[in-house]
Amino acid sequence: MAIKSPKDFWAGVMFIAFGGGMAAIALTNYQMGTAVRMGPAYFPVLLGAILGALGLILFARSFALKGPAVAKFHFRPLLFILAACLAFGYFLKPLGLIGAVLLVVFISAFGGHEFKWKEVAILYVALIIFSILVFVKGLTLPFPICPSSIEDFCRF
Amino acid sequence: MEILNNLALGFGVALSPFNLLMCLIGVLLGTLIGVLPGVGPVATIAMLLPITFNLDPIAALIMLAGIYYGAQYGGSTTAILVNLPGESSSVVTCLDGYQMARRGRAGPALATAAIGSFFAGCVATLIVAMFAPPLAEVALKFGPSEYFSLMVLGLVAAVVLAHGSLIKAICMVLLGLMLGLVGTDVNSGVLRFAFGVSELADGIGFVTVAMGMFGLAEIIANLEQKGHREVFTSKVGKLMPSKEDFKRIWAPILRGTFLGSALGILPGGGALLASFGAYTLEKKVSKNAHEFGKGAIEGVAAPEAANNAGAQTSFIPLLTLGIPSNAVMALMIGAMMIQGIAPGPQVMTERPQLFWGMIASMWLGNLMLVVLNLPLIGMWIKLLTVPYRILYPSILVFMCIGVFSLSNNPFDCLMMALFGLLGYICVKLECEPAPLILGFILGPLMEENLRRAMLLSRGDPFVFFQKPISATFLIVSIVLLVVIALPNIRKKREEVFVEEPG
């Protein structure tokens, strides 16, 4: 049998995995309870069963009804944008705002179509000044500005 | 006149210098992101949520509301001048607005959009002030079964009115409901779906979901297209519409306002649906139907009035029932919860300043928008020439700062990235993210009310059909689902949403 509607097929797979998976986890790990006194598993199992069933319909339908192909995944922007977020999260404390914003701007800029060093550098300088003034000074978010190793040298 | 007293109270709150400033910041920011294609109010409000922690609740909500209806104004500017919807609700404005601009009538088109929006904003503010209190009074009598059924209706309506596949939209709602259950179960204290991750004990952060699914996924999807934005920079010309124009637009503005207000109240409604509905209606009833798509001024006036009216009346279910009717309202609920306010009918009686202050600020915000926007149009046009490659790293920096500041924990950035990935996959599979967000907000509430209702009825599931109000909600939900599943109506529904810009 051939898949006629790839979008429905993969959506079906995704929903079956989520619904079935979460229902199974709930069923094995938490108390089901009764309809009068519902345990922590009751509602998730109910939802998961419906989600799984609907996913199954999508899955089955994808072999019968014709639908469009899944549009191409563009891995370049996907990976660079997600990496930029992670870099910010995990490097803010060691590198300070100055370092973390640098990472976000440059990594995300690599995910685009054109990369111009000068332009990105100017953008970075503008953004870091704005962020320090508005977020750290203005809104008093407790972010370190400088990398922790040279913190003592740059007090503003 | 109680309503006058209430409005006086509201204006007293909204006219305080700080709240006025917040309203101004909100509407300016809203216009800004409305003008810029690819940045929506959902991502912006999500981005600003953490920052509102430190604000007074009234000021915070006034600003966030301003962003939403401000975006409706801004979106039309881009639609008319660039033929790109700055905001999804401005899609239909592109059709005739851009054609008017090409004929050298950009000025009157912009002015018509502003006038229509302002008129609609005034009427909608009044409608909110008149209808919210009685509705809240009814809602105060709701028990758990009524609430549960109401949420079912809200979610069903959101699904029915979403575009794309019905079954996928239902799946997204269910997925959202389940993701909402992650964390500690309030009744038993059991940690659900936390997989030993201590950060998940309080559940998945709402802001991280919204920013990932809307913000990140949007940026990634935008970067796929190698688009060149052609800005229509020829001079805007004189702004004021002629007498002839006024004759043609007053009726469409009126119709658009009322249709928009009605569609905005519906669960799942809001600005987007309102503008589509108004354009379709106008095309049917207008004498100048043949001009539609070629620069008919009615085709700008009606949807612009409707989207602004819809944006405002969609606050009614939020303020009276505590139930969000679209993704932006879901974020507003998030904002209220952050501030320690339980959304629901009691807000009006317990916090009248907040309730009426917000309503009054909506009218003031609309006034600011119409006064500021026409003179500032030159500035907005300049902004449109900023290339996306400058824009998106900036947005990303602000998103990261916002998410990180939630709890000063890298984990939130990780969750945002994961939901960005999920959002991108959903874009590729044509699954709308908005129903997921609604489900996510309502998940814990639904479970709680279901539990209480079943406890009260001693486990009899038919309780939902025995109480008249609850039964009505459920029957309407079922009818909606059945009707929409009928083949020829489904075809119509698809047609309404494929009104592509010409």
Side-chain angles (χ1 to χ4, degrees):
Chain A
M1 272 216 299
I3 300 165
K4 284 187 182 159
S5 176
K7 271 184 189 168
D8 283 357
F9 176 81
W10 289 109
V13 169
M14 179 172 82
F15 292 130
I16 293 170
F18 267 112
M22 286 178 86
I25 292 169
L27 211 51
T28 47
N29 291 306
Y30 317 127
Q31 293 277 313
M32 197 58 183
T34 61
V36 185
R37 288 190 181 280
M38 290 183 190
Y42 202 99
F43 198 51
V45 169
L46 190 71
L47 292 176
I50 306 174
L51 182 58
L54 289 175
L56 214 56
I57 295 179
L58 274 176
F59 182 82
R61 207 176 66 170
S62 73
F63 292 98
L65 293 177
K66 224 173 150 41
V70 179
K72 205 176 126 239
F73 265 69
H74 292 245
F75 286 102
R76 189 185 164 111
L78 180 67
L79 292 179
F80 277 98
I81 296 293
L82 298 186
C85 295
L86 295 179
F88 183 91
Y90 289 94
F91 286 103
L92 180 67
K93 276 177 187 161
L95 295 184
L97 203 55
I98 289 179
V101 172
L102 183 83
L103 287 173
V104 174
V105 171
F106 278 83
I107 295 176
S108 67
F110 271 118
H113 301 294
E114 337 171 41
F115 184 87
K116 296 176 183 163
W117 278 99
K118 219 173 129 189
E119 198 181 81
V120 180
I122 295 171
L123 178 66
Y124 164 66
V125 173
L127 279 173
I128 190 68
I129 293 172
F130 181 86
S131 307
I132 290 175
L133 288 181
V134 172
F135 295 107
V136 181
K137 301 292 171 193
L139 293 161
T140 62
L141 296 182
F143 288 177
I145 293 177
C146 288
S148 49
S149 51
I150 56 161
E151 205 174 356
D152 298 331
F153 297 101
C154 58
R155 294 236 175 266
F156 289 95
Chain B
M1 283 294 279
E2 208 189 337
I3 190 166
L4 286 183
N5 287 338
N6 286 330
L7 281 177
L9 171 75
F11 276 102
V13 174
L15 282 171
S16 83
F18 186 68
N19 286 343
L20 267 182
L21 179 71
M22 282 296 133
C23 186
L24 182 68
I25 293 177
V27 294
L28 280 181
L29 216 59
T31 316
L32 172 71
I33 56 126
V35 168
L36 297 173
V39 197
V42 181
T44 313
I45 294 178
M47 210 147 62
L48 289 173
L49 269 188
I51 293 164
T52 60
F53 278 146
N54 305 327
L55 286 176
D56 164 63
I58 301 178
L61 288 173
I62 283 179
M63 185 183 80
L64 296 178
I67 292 174
Y68 184 41
Y69 57 78
Q72 314 307 324
Y73 273 77
S76 58
T77 309
T78 317
I80 291 167
L81 294 177
V82 200
N83 197 21
L84 262 181
E87 213 38 67
S88 55
S89 56
S90 310
V91 171
V92 286
T93 310
C94 290
L95 301 175
D96 283 292
Y98 184 64
Q99 294 303 325
M100 282 182 72
R102 281 185 56 184
R103 290 211 218 142
R105 302 198 59 208
L110 290 166
T112 301
I115 295 166
S117 297
F118 180 65
F119 176 79
C122 295
V123 174
T125 306
L126 268 182
I127 290 178
V128 177
M130 278 185 332
F131 287 94
L135 208 64
E137 223 146 273
V138 176
L140 276 173
K141 299 191 182 94
F142 282 10
S145 49
E146 280 85 5
Y147 258 108
F148 180 80
S149 306
L150 179 65
M151 285 185 245
V152 171
L153 174 61
L155 290 175
V156 166
V159 161
V160 167
L161 300 173
H163 38 157
S165 153
L166 181 66
I167 185 164
K168 281 182 191 165
I170 300 175
C171 286
M172 289 300 271
V173 164
L174 288 165
L175 186 55
L177 286 169
M178 295 188 79
L179 290 173
L181 298 179
V182 173
T184 313
D185 171 34
V186 278
N187 277 33
S188 59
V190 172
L191 259 183
R192 287 189 289 190
F193 308 113
F195 308 108
V197 180
S198 61
E199 281 93 345
L200 284 177
D202 290 333
I204 301 171
F206 171 65
V207 177
T208 56
V209 179
M211 283 220 226
M213 297 284 294
F214 282 92
L216 283 186
E218 230 166 56
I219 291 179
I220 299 167
N222 282 337
L223 283 180
E224 282 181 2
Q225 291 143 12
K226 225 181 183 152
H228 284 282
R229 221 186 284 151
E230 204 97 36
V231 183
F232 198 83
T233 38
S234 80
K235 55 181 194 298
V236 170
K238 79 174 178 68
L239 282 172
M240 259 310 148
S242 64
K243 225 182 207 162
E244 169 74 5
D245 289 335
F246 270 114
K247 253 185 217 152
R248 284 177 61 173
I249 59 174
W250 71 267
I253 287 179
L254 262 182
R255 280 191 289 264
T257 301
F258 286 104
L259 184 68
S261 304
L263 291 175
I265 299 173
L266 286 186
L272 176 65
L273 180 74
S275 60
F276 272 101
Y279 189 79
T280 317
L281 174 75
E282 220 43 54
K283 217 167 146 182
K284 288 236 163 73
V285 300
S286 176
K287 286 194 301 252
N288 304 317
H290 59 281
E291 276 185 44
F292 273 71
K294 299 185 201 114
I297 197 164
E298 293 93 336
V300 175
E304 280 304 311
N307 71 23
N308 207 38
Q312 293 202 1
T313 53
S314 58
F315 279 88
I316 292 181
L318 169 81
L319 291 170
T320 56
L321 307 169
I323 296 209
S325 58
N326 56 40
V328 176
M329 294 303 123
L331 280 161
M332 297 293 287
I333 288 207
M336 289 169 99
M337 289 187 191
I338 284 174
Q339 297 280 359
I341 302 167
Q346 74 288 346
V347 169
M348 202 171 55
T349 43
E350 284 169 15
R351 291 174 175 264
Q353 283 98 340
L354 175 83
F355 184 88
W356 293 102
M358 236 174 111
I359 290 177
S361 85
M362 286 182 192
W363 187 79
L364 290 171
N366 272 290
L367 188 66
M368 289 181 197
L369 281 166
V370 83
V371 172
L372 284 177
N373 261 11
L374 293 177
L376 284 181
I377 252 166
M379 194 181 96
W380 300 132
I381 294 174
K382 279 229 180 62
L383 268 173
L384 275 173
T385 53
V386 175
Y388 195 64
R389 64 175 191 276
I390 301 285
L391 220 52
Y392 79 86
S394 320
I395 298 168
L396 204 59
V397 166
F398 298 144
M399 282 172 61
C400 287
I401 291 178
V403 161
F404 195 89
S405 68
L406 285 171
S407 56
N408 274 319
N409 191 334
F411 182 75
D412 289 323
C413 290
L414 173 67
M415 286 310 276
M416 176 168 80
L418 285 179
F419 276 99
L421 178 64
L422 180 65
Y424 185 68
I425 294 173
C426 287
V427 169
K428 290 288 161 189
L429 298 177
E430 278 184 349
C431 298
E432 284 275 307
L436 182 135
I437 297 280
L438 285 186
F440 184 80
I441 277 280
L442 291 179
L445 285 172
M446 259 184 116
E447 184 181 31
E448 188 57 32
N449 282 298
L450 176 67
R451 272 179 172 158
R452 278 196 213 147
M454 294 297 269
L455 191 64
L456 289 174
S457 74
R458 291 165 203 280
D460 177 12
F462 291 103
V463 65
F464 298 105
F465 286 100
Q466 281 156 0
K467 300 205 168 168
I469 299 176
S470 160
T472 315
F473 289 149
L474 284 184
I475 290 167
V476 173
S477 317
I478 293 169
V479 169
L480 269 178
L481 274 181
V482 170
V483 163
I484 216 71
L486 295 176
N488 56 357
I489 294 186
R490 194 166 61 202
K491 227 175 99 212
K492 269 257 169 63
R493 169 169 165 268
E494 275 153 19
E495 275 168 19
V496 171
F497 283 110
V498 278
E499 198 105 39
E500 284 299 316

